[in-house]
Amino acid sequence: MLDVSIVIVSYYSGRDLPPLIRSIDDAAGALSWHATVVNNTTDESLAHLSEDDRVTVVEAGANLGYSGGLNLGLTMAPEARVTVFLNPDLVLRTGALTALVAAVDGGSDAAVPRILDATGVRQDSLRREPTVLSAFGEAVFGDAWARRPQLLAETVRRDRVYRSEHAIEWATGATLAVRADVVAAVGAWDADRFFLYSEETDYCRRIRSRGGSIAYVPDSVVQHRGGGSGTSPHLDALLEVNKLRYFQKWHGPWAAGAFGTALLLRNAIRPHRPGARAAVRALLSSRARAGLPGGPR
C-alpha cells in the first residue's frame, strides 16, 4: 500500500501545478506517493502532468466546486495509509509531508502544516470553532487588536501558538493530512452545502465530533500563493453565506440567527468594499444567494 495519496482540485491552475508536483519528492522523502488531480474546468488541459506515472489527471467535465472535486478525487485515488488534500497553489518545503505523516502515525487523526505566504511570511492559518461571540468580535474588530481575547476572535493570531505542535480545532484548508480509516469514517465532503468555502471547517468538525484530534505541525512547512480560486464580490459573498450555512448545520435556529446578524454587521459597516455589499445582499436575499457560484443550496 502507498504511504500517501494526494488529492488536488484544479481550477485554471495549470501554471501552479508543475511547481507543486515538483516539490512533492523532497516533501515526501522516503514515503511512496501518488497524486490525483481533478480538473474542474473544461477548457484547460493538464495532460502534461500525467507524464509522471505517479500523477493521474481526472477530468470532472464541469466545475464541481472544491468539495465536489475532492469527492471525485477520492473515488479515483489509490489506497494509501494517509490521504493528503492539497490546494493547487502551494509549494511544499522539504520534509513537509514526512512531518505530517509522522504526526498521524503518532496518534493524531489528521494534521496541518505551518503555512507561509508567497514572500515567506507566516500566515495566520489556525482557527477556533466559530461562535456567536467570536463572530461579533470579528465583525467589530476585524484584523485590528490582534491580541484581543480569543473569545472575541475566530482567527488565532498570537505568535507563540504557531511555535509548537499541539491539537487544534481547525485550520484554513490549504493542506490537510488524514489517516485512511478516518477518511472512510468521516465520509464525503459536504458538497451539497459547500461549493467553496467552509468545507474544511465542516470536515474538521466531523473529525472532532468522532472524538478525533487534529495536530498543528510547525515542522511541516508549505508556501501558499493564495487566490487560486480567484477573487470577486460574488466569491466574497459566498464566503460569508457559507459561514452561515455551516453555523446553521451545527447549531439551532436561534444561535444561527444571532450568528447571521453578526455577519450582516461585519459587512454592513464596510460598505466601501464591493464584496461586503454583495454579502449583505446575499445574506438577506435567497435570490441573490442563488446567483452565487454553486447556485442555490
Side-chain angles (χ1 to χ4, degrees):
M1 181 182 288
L2 286 170
D3 293 311
V4 178
S5 179
I6 299 167
V7 180
I8 305 166
V9 176
S10 173
Y11 183 70
Y12 296 105
S13 307
R15 287 187 296 178
D16 287 321
L17 284 165
L20 168 57
I21 299 300
R22 288 195 297 269
S23 72
I24 294 175
D25 269 333
D26 285 344
L31 298 172
S32 59
W33 62 271
H34 185 277
T36 302
V37 181
V38 177
N39 187 8
N40 252 3
T41 67
T42 58
D43 54 354
E44 181 181 43
S45 174
L46 303 179
H48 62 285
L49 297 177
S50 296
E51 294 172 2
D52 187 329
D53 60 9
R54 297 171 298 178
V55 180
T56 299
V57 176
V58 177
E59 298 294 336
N63 184 5
L64 305 180
Y66 190 64
S67 296
L70 290 177
N71 288 337
L72 176 58
L74 280 172
T75 67
M76 305 298 290
E79 291 186 4
R81 295 192 300 112
V82 178
T83 298
V84 180
F85 303 101
L86 294 179
N87 275 15
D89 51 350
L90 291 171
V91 173
L92 311 180
R93 294 283 184 89
T94 299
L97 293 177
T98 306
L100 292 178
V101 171
V104 172
D105 286 343
S108 295
D109 292 70
V112 300
R114 180 159 51 103
I115 301 178
L116 309 180
D117 68 15
T119 66
V121 175
R122 191 208 75 231
Q123 292 185 337
D124 292 337
S125 58
L126 302 184
R127 300 288 189 271
R128 298 293 300 274
E129 179 65 19
T131 67
V132 172
L133 188 57
S134 68
F136 275 103
E138 295 287 352
V140 174
F141 300 111
D143 293 330
W145 192 20
R147 298 183 66 83
R148 67 183 181 265
Q150 193 61 60
L151 286 173
L152 295 174
E154 182 177 322
T155 301
V156 178
R157 296 180 173 87
R158 300 196 177 207
D159 288 341
R160 60 179 176 79
V161 180
Y162 289 87
R163 294 174 189 154
S164 60
E165 184 170 332
H166 60 280
I168 63 164
E169 294 182 342
W170 69 283
T172 54
T175 305
L176 179 65
V178 189
R179 200 171 64 242
D181 63 299
V182 178
V183 173
V186 170
W189 293 69
D190 189 349
D192 291 336
R193 285 185 179 86
F194 308 116
F195 181 80
L196 178 68
Y197 304 130
S198 291
E199 70 284 325
E200 75 270 48
T201 322
D202 178 72
Y203 197 83
C204 289
R205 174 73 179 252
R206 289 159 63 195
I207 291 173
R208 299 195 325 272
S209 69
R210 299 178 57 257
S213 62
I214 304 166
Y216 165 68
V217 185
D219 289 341
S220 173
V221 181
V222 305
Q223 200 152 3
H224 186 211
R225 179 178 64 81
S229 301
T231 57
S232 72
H234 274 173
L235 287 176
D236 292 341
L238 183 62
L239 175 66
E240 299 297 290
V241 167
N242 276 2
K243 288 178 181 178
L244 180 56
R245 286 171 173 155
Y246 170 81
F247 212 81
Q248 289 170 331
K249 176 177 179 177
W250 290 97
H251 301 276
W254 290 104
F259 189 83
T261 300
L263 294 177
L264 273 174
L265 174 65
R266 172 186 175 87
N267 290 281
I269 64 178
R270 295 169 174 86
H272 58 286
R273 300 179 183 176
R277 297 196 297 272
V280 169
R281 290 192 294 271
L283 288 166
L284 292 174
S285 165
S286 59
R287 181 175 180 181
R289 288 193 296 277
L292 296 178
R297 286 173 184 265

